[in-house]
Amino acid sequence: MIGLGYVGLPLAIALAKRFGTTGLDVDAVRIAELERGLDRTREITPERLAASSLKLTGDPKNCPPADFYIVTVPTPIDNNNRPDLSIVEAASRTVGSMIERASAAGRTPIVIYESTVYPGVTEDICAPILEQVSGLECGTDFFLAYSPERINPGDREHTIDKITKVVSGQTPEVLEEVAQLYGAITSGGVFRAASIKAAEAAKVIENAQRDINIAFMNEIAQIFGRMDLSVWDVLEAARTKWNFLPFGPGLVGGHCIGVDPYYLSHRAEELGHDPKVILAGRGVNDSMADWVGERLHAARGAAKGTALVLGLTFKEDVPDLRNSKVADLVARLTGLGHDVTVHDPHADAAEALQEYGLTLDETALDRQYDLVLLAVPHREYVAMGAARFRGLTNSGGTLADLKGALGGAADWTL
């Protein structure tokens, strides 16, 4: 397993129950933490780590020859919202050196990519790197496969051992080997995609579809906001129809939904197609944090003051700060002149400072503020109750609830 993050670690732990499995990660701190039984993503408990036969290493040379090499590294976007394939390319170079040793040991390895990419990356970009580094021929000395990851951080229901796994392979024989591998660890079964490109495309449109639906909800929230009409009241009525899709408005962050549509739009533009719907959805969602900040500022009568933002992670009850749009909201409030304090019981303070330049205040709940915003409804916050939130708000202040978690007790919500 190359990459032991939110995707790689749960998969490696599951595979280690059935197969001899080695986990490789270039982050030495990550390896040291896992060896101590600490998973900073909180996807795997210390007890499961201790009980697993998974071998851990930060050095590719310590990885024994294997039949399968599974790449689960991040595929982010750059500052211009273009795909950044540098990490998956580096991982491919690492795998290239390892499959050379596997071939010398008499194996014909299969390299499986799980990282989210646009159609064609596995065969057109990764395969040549593997060939160049290893000196082996793809389709003869080693083979390719793709199985899109479907990890949802913090989700204890749709775990790797329960979901349907989409699989694909370079040949029918490889496809069956990959299907047997994943079929051995999930009760949800496997779906054999028609091709590697079809499997790559399936993953990227899963998240693009959600992004577009959420963008529609964000746009109607903005429209209804001009009418002084609660979008939550509207949705409560609309959801009584049997086929109304249960999406809601909000900030779209995280490593997948806010990123993957740009991979698809990038490839579309390379092919000469203008992806109007995809980019329109991205435009709405990327601008939502600024819109919320401006609405909160208006709700305060454009008066500057102290503000408390509760929650920084991209979703509730997880420590994941990747692509957090709450950080954009904090930046907008700060730009409008508010003195913003940020609190989050799940986020890592060092990571928040490094990624966003934000200092988390552990004592933030001991004071009062002109504006209190429940941005991410972690269970700890919801358990506090509306009265406690009101107690954090100065007399004449504004209590805001981004996702309607306080049951209508706030002065402002979407």
Side-chain angles (χ1 to χ4, degrees), residues 6-22:
Y6 280 90
V7 175
L9 182 62
L11 179 56
I13 292 289
L15 287 166
K17 289 182 179 180
R18 299 293 302 270
F19 310 98
T21 306
T22 300

Side-chain angles (χ1 to χ4, degrees), residues 251 292-293 296 306-313 324-334 338-345 358-361 364-365 367 369 371-376 378 381 389 392 400 402:
L251 303 180
V292 171
L296 290 171
T306 58
L308 171 63
V309 173
L310 296 166
L312 181 61
T313 60
S324 169
K325 293 304 178 183
V326 180
D328 293 346
L329 172 55
V330 171
R332 186 60 185 138
L333 287 173
T334 301
H338 296 270
D339 180 11
V340 183
T341 298
V342 183
H343 180 274
D344 193 311
L358 294 175
T359 300
L360 299 181
D361 190 339
L365 302 184
R367 301 185 296 277
Y369 305 84
L371 169 64
V372 175
L373 169 64
L374 178 55
V376 184
H378 295 310
Y381 292 147
F389 279 95
L392 293 170
L402 188 60

Side-chain angles (χ1 to χ4, degrees), residues 220-266:
I220 64 170
Q222 294 178 23
I223 294 169
F224 296 151
R226 293 176 178 269
M227 304 178 188
D228 197 25
L229 182 62
S230 168
V231 68
W232 302 111
D233 290 343
V234 175
L235 290 177
E236 185 179 18
R239 286 169 178 167
T240 61
K241 188 180 181 186
W242 62 91
N243 61 352
F244 187 82
L245 300 179
F247 289 92
L251 303 180
V252 183
H255 184 65
C256 293
I257 298 179
V259 173
D260 297 351
Y262 285 122
Y263 273 72
L264 184 57
S265 64
H266 168 78

Side-chain angles (χ1 to χ4, degrees), residues 79-345:
N79 292 332
N80 296 315
N81 294 327
R82 312 299 286 180
D84 178 1
L85 296 174
S86 62
I87 302 175
V88 76
E89 289 172 345
S92 297
R93 287 190 287 272
T94 298
V95 173
S97 66
M98 292 193 288
I99 62 173
E100 181 182 10
R101 287 187 281 118
S103 178
R107 300 173 185 264
T108 306
I110 297 173
V111 182
I112 307 172
Y113 287 87
E114 289 217 359
S115 303
T116 303
V117 293
Y118 55 81
V121 168
T122 299
E123 294 164 291
D124 301 337
I125 295 178
C126 297
I129 295 174
L130 293 170
E131 288 186 320
Q132 181 182 20
V133 174
S134 68
L136 303 175
E137 183 179 353
C138 183
T140 301
D141 303 313
F142 71 91
F143 292 88
L144 297 174
Y146 185 84
S147 179
E149 61 91 358
R150 281 177 168 170
I151 294 294
N152 183 25
D155 190 336
R156 300 296 177 255
E157 179 182 355
H158 303 98
T159 51
I160 189 64
D161 58 333
K162 298 174 184 175
I163 61 171
T164 301
K165 247 329 202 146
V166 173
V167 296
S168 63
Q170 192 170 2
T171 68
E173 294 76 18
V174 169
L175 174 61
E176 287 309 308
E177 287 192 57
V178 175
Q180 290 178 25
L181 176 73
Y182 284 104
I185 64 169
T186 179
S187 61
V190 296
F191 177 86
R192 295 164 174 80
S195 66
I196 289 176
K197 286 186 175 67
E200 291 170 322
K203 169 58 182 177
V204 79
I205 70 163
E206 288 172 14
N207 287 329
Q209 182 190 66
R210 288 183 58 79
D211 191 49
I212 292 166
N213 278 283
I214 297 171
F216 173 68
M217 292 296 161
N218 281 335
E219 186 161 70
I220 64 170
Q222 294 178 23
I223 294 169
F224 296 151
R226 293 176 178 269
M227 304 178 188
D228 197 25
L229 182 62
S230 168
V231 68
W232 302 111
D233 290 343
V234 175
L235 290 177
E236 185 179 18
R239 286 169 178 167
T240 61
K241 188 180 181 186
W242 62 91
N243 61 352
F244 187 82
L245 300 179
F247 289 92
L251 303 180
V252 183
H255 184 65
C256 293
I257 298 179
V259 173
D260 297 351
Y262 285 122
Y263 273 72
L264 184 57
S265 64
H266 168 78
R267 184 60 180 140
E269 289 169 342
E270 284 187 333
L271 296 169
H273 177 79
D274 181 12
K276 297 183 181 68
V277 174
I278 296 170
L279 291 180
R282 278 285 74 230
V284 170
N285 288 340
D286 275 348
S287 66
M288 192 64 179
D290 283 351
W291 181 83
V292 171
E294 289 156 10
R295 291 286 294 180
L296 290 171
H297 184 63
R300 294 289 305 142
K304 303 172 184 178
T306 58
L308 171 63
V309 173
L310 296 166
L312 181 61
T313 60
F314 91 91
K315 64 182 288 190
E316 56 269 22
D317 303 324
V318 300
D320 196 345
L321 286 170
R322 292 176 297 176
N323 195 29
S324 169
K325 293 304 178 183
V326 180
D328 293 346
L329 172 55
V330 171
R332 186 60 185 138
L333 287 173
T334 301
L336 290 168
H338 296 270
D339 180 11
V340 183
T341 298
V342 183
H343 180 274
D344 193 311

